[in-house]
Amino acid sequence: MLIKDIFDVQSGQVLSRISTKINQIAIGKVLIPKAISKGRILKEELQDIKLKNLLPENKLSMKNDIIIKLSTPYEACVIDDDNVGLVIPSFCAILRIKKMEFDLNYLNAYINSSLFEKQVIDCVTGQTIGILSITALKGIDIPYIPLKEQLKVSIEFKKMNKNKELLNKLINLQEEKIETLIKIGEQNE
């Protein structure tokens, strides 16, 4: 089924049109592309933006939106309760589900898969800069599988992301340990 048949698709906001250094009326958080990583939002990468006017709701993240980066790596994330109201930049597309026979986490898993990426590469091949257009995005196919199978994919995708998170924490601890050992070694000279 084509993305345009599953989702309402729109582009994010051009940030230069809404940001200001003076006369701000609000401060918002921006979901920059760097904050999207294989199905997850990296909260530490969200950025503040000083707004010169309030944005329409359709340019802010809503629960159950899927936000996809329009440049490489073409990754996506699902918006949960903790990430409602983020400013979505023009480097991303907002996918708002309209076909409820799909599980959101299955869709997120598929969009973050190499199967999806192959279709995207076909769309951007020959372009100088590999930016996925909204029109091309709407024409990408997502296979419909029975809901029971979608839920299996969803469960495995969640497990994989949890494992990635734990492994990243372990790697960070090991890096800290190495740095501590180096500092101790320097002190002992």
Side-chain angles (χ1 to χ4, degrees):
M1 191 173 283
L2 298 179
I3 282 184
K4 68 179 181 179
D5 298 325
I6 304 168
F7 298 101
D8 288 320
V9 181
Q10 65 182 30
S11 64
Q13 178 67 47
V14 177
L15 297 181
S16 62
R17 294 183 187 160
I18 61 165
S19 66
T20 185
K21 292 185 186 341
I22 57 171
N23 299 328
Q24 75 186 43
I25 63 163
I27 294 179
K29 289 278 188 192
V30 180
L31 180 62
I32 62 169
K34 185 178 175 183
I36 301 171
S37 178
K38 290 288 184 188
R40 300 175 296 143
I41 294 175
L42 306 174
K43 291 188 184 284
E44 65 275 7
E45 297 295 340
L46 296 175
Q47 291 186 351
D48 290 330
I49 185 170
K50 296 176 182 176
L51 301 170
K52 59 184 169 187
N53 50 27
L54 295 177
L55 291 173
E57 279 191 12
N58 69 336
K59 293 295 183 181
L60 299 173
S61 63
M62 296 180 186
K63 185 175 180 183
N64 297 330
D65 283 352
I66 293 182
I67 310 300
I68 181 172
K69 293 192 249 182
L70 296 175
S71 61
T72 187
Y74 307 98
E75 298 171 315
C77 64
V78 174
I79 299 297
D80 59 14
D81 289 325
D82 295 336
N83 294 299
V84 169
L86 298 174
V87 177
I88 307 303
S90 58
F91 308 113
C92 298
I94 303 166
L95 308 179
R96 294 210 162 108
I97 194 159
K98 59 184 181 181
K99 292 277 186 179
M100 296 313 291
E101 64 261 21
F102 282 93
D103 176 76
L104 272 175
N105 286 306
Y106 162 72
L107 293 168
N108 192 22
Y110 185 80
I111 292 170
N112 283 291
S113 74
S114 61
L115 301 169
F116 180 82
E117 187 176 26
K118 286 176 188 170
Q119 290 188 70
V120 170
I121 289 169
D122 289 344
C123 291
V124 299
T125 297
Q127 296 180 10
T128 307
I129 301 172
I131 303 291
L132 180 62
S133 72
I134 297 294
T135 303
L137 177 62
K138 289 179 178 180
I140 291 177
D141 186 52
I142 294 181
Y144 177 80
I145 61 176
L147 190 56
K148 184 178 179 181
E149 299 304 313
Q150 289 181 41
L151 294 174
K152 287 179 185 176
V153 171
S154 178
I155 288 167
E156 291 304 315
F157 186 68
K158 286 178 185 178
K159 283 181 188 175
M160 179 189 69
N161 277 332
K162 188 65 178 167
N163 287 339
K164 281 183 179 180
E165 195 174 308
L166 293 171
L167 283 171
N168 282 335
K169 285 179 182 178
L170 179 61
I171 290 168
N172 289 337
L173 287 171
Q174 287 175 323
E175 287 173 347
E176 287 175 23
K177 182 178 180 180
I178 290 168
E179 289 176 10
T180 301
L181 290 171
I182 291 170
K183 288 177 184 175
I184 291 171
E186 288 175 337
Q187 292 172 354
N188 292 335
E189 274 190 25

